[in-house]
Amino acid sequence: MAAINRTEYAVLGLLAMGARTGYDIKKMVEETIGHFWNESFGHIYPVLKRLHERGWVSKTTEVVQGRNRNVYALTAEGEAALQAWFKEPVAPTPLRNELLLKLFFGRFAQPEDLIAQIQAHRQRQQAGWVQLQQILDQLPAEAELSPHLLYWRLTLRMGVHVTQALMQWGDEALALLGPLTSDTQTDEEE
Amino acid sequence: MAAINRTEYAVLGLLAMGARTGYDIKKMVEETIGHFWNESFGHIYPVLKRLHERGWVSKTTEVVQGRNRNVYALTAEGEAALQAWFKEPVAPTPLRNELLLKLFFGRFAQPEDLIAQIQAHRQRQQAGWVQLQQILDQLPAEAELSPHLLYWRLTLRMGVHVTQALMQWGDEALALLGPLTSDTQTDEEE
DNA sequence: TGAACCATGTAAGCCGTTACATGATTCG
DNA sequence: CGAATCATGTAACGGCTTACATGGTTCA
C-alpha cells in the first residue's frame, strides 16, 4: 500500500528527457534504461492516464494524418514531484534471486545441474559485460553533447562492477563444486 | 502466465529441509534465505493449499492442545518437481533498480540529493558486508554438521562479491560527483 | 504485398504485500 | 499480566505482464 509506484517516476523522467507519447516512452525505455528497468505498454498507458488526472502531466491530442496521438509533457507539479523523488530514499526491492534459491537447496540437486546453472549464469554475465563495454566505448564519441552523459556513465559503471563480481563469484563457485561429480550425490543417509 | 511461481519451489525446498507448517516456513525464510528471498504469510498459506491440491505435498492436521496445526510434507511428486526445477533455467527477473533510475535522470536532480543517495547506498552495502562476514565467520563452527553448508557458503559468497563491487562503485561514483556542488546545477538554459 | 513501425488502449489474471481477524501457550 | 511466540487463514488492493484488439504508414 505504502509502496510507491516507481513506474510513475520512470515515466516522468523520460518525459523530462524528451519523450512525448506512450509509444515514445516504451521505446526510450528499451534504448536507454533497458539494462536496469523495464516497462510494458499495458502499464505505461494507465500510468500516463493517472498522471494526467493528478495534474503531473499535460495531455494534448494531436491528429496526424487521420491518426490520434496523445502528446504528454511535464507540468510544474510533475517537475516538482520528480524533484521530490530524488530526495526520497530508494524503496527496498523485494529480494528474489532464483539462482541463489536453487543453490541454497543445492544439497537436493544433482551437482551437474547446479554446475550447469552457474555456467549459464557466468555466460550471461560475460555477454552482459561485453555489451556494457561496447556501450561505454561508444559513449565518449558523443560526449559534451549531452549533460546526461556523466549520469549515464555512472549507471553503466555499476553494471560493470557488479558483472565482474558475478563472474568472479561464478569462477569461485565452479571451483568449489567441480570436485562434486555425480558420485557424491549417492550418499543419501539422513 | 508462463511465469513459474517461484514461491512454490521455495516452499518445496524448505519442506525438504525440515519445515513442517506454514509458520515454520515463514520462520525458516527469515532465518536462512532471508538475504535473497522473502515470503509473507499471505502468500505461503495459499501456496501450500495449491501444492496440496496438486499432490506435491501431503497434509496432516495435528491437534495439539486444542489447537489445529497443519503439517505438510513432500510427496514423491513434490520431490520430483523439485528435482525438475533444478534443471530448469532461472526465470529472468524483471529488472528494477531504483537507484540507477534516479541516477540516470540525475541531470534533473540537485547533485546533493544524488550524493546523499549514493552515500546511503554505500552505507547499506557496508552494513550488509559486515553482516555477511559475521555469518561466514560463524559458519565453520557448525561445519561438517550439515551437508548443506557448502551450498550456504556459496550463496553467502555471492553476497560478499556483489556487496564489495557495489561499495567500490559507490566510491567511484562519489569521486565523480564530488566536483559537482550546488553551483553546477545553476546553469539552466535549454 | 507483407513486414516493420507508429500508436493506443483494455481485460484477464497472477504475483505478492498489508491489514485484518482470531486465539492458544509460554515466559518474564 | 502482558509480551512474545505459535498458528492459520482471508480480504483488499496494487503492481505488472501478457494477450487481445485495432488500425494507419512506410519501405523493401
Side-chain angles (χ1 to χ4, degrees):
Chain A
M1 185 195 270
I4 256 78
N5 184 330
R6 283 113 85 248
T7 295
E8 291 180 358
Y9 293 95
V11 167
L12 289 180
L14 289 173
L15 289 175
M17 284 180 75
R20 289 162 46 82
T21 68
Y23 191 87
D24 269 359
I25 287 167
K26 170 70 171 161
K27 208 175 56 175
M28 280 183 74
V29 165
E30 278 155 18
E31 287 167 359
T32 59
I33 58 180
H35 284 99
F36 57 85
W37 203 267
N38 69 317
E39 292 296 346
S40 58
F41 280 124
H43 205 198
I44 289 170
Y45 286 113
V47 162
L48 277 170
K49 192 177 169 185
R50 204 191 309 156
L51 252 24
H52 181 235
E53 283 161 7
R54 203 185 295 160
W56 287 8
V57 302
S58 65
K59 178 180 179 179
T60 325
T61 301
E62 287 181 0
V63 182
V64 182
Q65 289 147 328
R67 235 188 310 166
N68 266 17
R69 182 164 61 170
N70 301 325
V71 174
Y72 297 90
L74 278 191
T75 61
E77 289 91 340
E79 190 120 13
L82 188 59
Q83 288 291 325
W85 174 67
F86 285 115
K87 297 182 192 300
E88 209 75 26
V90 297
T93 315
L95 300 167
R96 243 103 204 285
N97 187 324
E98 191 183 346
L99 180 62
L100 289 188
L101 193 65
K102 284 193 208 288
L103 228 56
F104 185 83
F105 297 133
R107 156 76 204 186
F108 305 116
Q110 290 174 280
E112 290 80 8
D113 292 342
L114 296 180
I115 288 168
Q117 292 287 352
I118 297 171
Q119 278 168 345
H121 172 256
R122 212 193 164 296
Q123 273 167 33
R124 282 193 297 272
Q125 300 307 320
Q126 180 83 51
W129 191 81
V130 169
Q131 219 189 332
L132 285 170
Q133 289 300 341
Q134 278 174 1
I135 299 172
L136 274 166
D137 286 351
Q138 285 165 348
L139 264 200
E142 34 174 334
E144 312 301 313
L145 269 174
S146 163
H148 294 295
L149 271 224
L150 167 62
Y151 301 105
W152 296 359
R153 183 168 286 114
L154 243 40
T155 65
L156 290 163
R157 288 293 299 158
M158 188 199 272
V160 170
H161 277 278
V162 171
T163 303
Q164 275 175 344
L166 287 173
M167 287 193 288
Q168 278 167 29
W169 169 81
D171 292 338
E172 186 186 311
L174 287 172
L176 281 166
L177 289 185
L180 275 67
T181 31
S182 43
D183 48 84
T184 321
Q185 171 72 188
T186 328
D187 64 86
E188 289 224 355
E189 71 276 16
E190 197 294 51
Chain B
M1 186 196 267
I4 257 76
N5 185 331
R6 283 111 87 247
T7 295
E8 290 179 359
Y9 293 94
V11 167
L12 290 180
L14 290 172
L15 288 175
M17 283 180 76
R20 289 160 47 81
T21 67
Y23 192 86
D24 268 359
I25 288 167
K26 170 70 171 163
K27 208 175 57 174
M28 279 183 73
V29 166
E30 277 155 18
E31 286 167 0
T32 59
I33 58 180
H35 284 100
F36 57 86
W37 203 267
N38 69 317
E39 293 296 347
S40 58
F41 281 124
H43 205 199
I44 289 170
Y45 286 113
V47 162
L48 277 171
K49 192 176 171 187
R50 205 190 308 156
L51 251 25
H52 181 235
E53 283 161 5
R54 204 185 295 160
W56 287 7
V57 302
S58 65
K59 178 181 179 179
T60 325
T61 301
E62 287 180 0
V63 180
V64 183
Q65 288 147 329
R67 235 187 310 167
N68 266 16
R69 182 163 61 166
N70 300 325
V71 175
Y72 297 90
L74 277 190
T75 62
E77 289 90 340
E79 189 121 11
L82 188 58
Q83 288 291 325
W85 174 67
F86 285 115
K87 296 183 191 301
E88 209 75 26
V90 298
T93 315
L95 301 166
R96 243 101 204 286
N97 187 323
E98 191 183 347
L99 179 62
L100 288 188
L101 192 65
K102 283 193 208 288
L103 228 57
F104 185 82
F105 296 133
R107 155 75 202 184
F108 305 117
Q110 289 174 280
E112 291 80 8
D113 292 341
L114 297 180
I115 288 168
Q117 292 287 352
I118 298 170
Q119 279 169 344
H121 172 257
R122 212 193 163 297
Q123 272 167 33
R124 282 192 298 271
Q125 300 308 319
Q126 181 83 50
W129 190 82
V130 169
Q131 219 189 331
L132 285 170
Q133 290 300 340
Q134 278 173 0
I135 299 171
L136 274 165
D137 286 351
Q138 284 165 349
L139 263 199
E142 33 175 335
E144 311 301 310
L145 268 173
S146 163
H148 295 294
L149 270 223
L150 166 63
Y151 301 105
W152 296 359
R153 185 167 285 116
L154 243 40
T155 65
L156 290 163
R157 289 292 300 158
M158 188 199 272
V160 170
H161 276 278
V162 171
T163 303
Q164 275 175 343
L166 287 174
M167 286 193 288
Q168 277 166 29
W169 169 82
D171 291 339
E172 186 185 311
L174 286 172
L176 280 166
L177 289 185
L180 275 68
T181 31
S182 45
D183 47 86
T184 320
Q185 171 71 186
T186 328
D187 64 88
E188 288 225 355
E189 74 279 12
E190 203 290 49

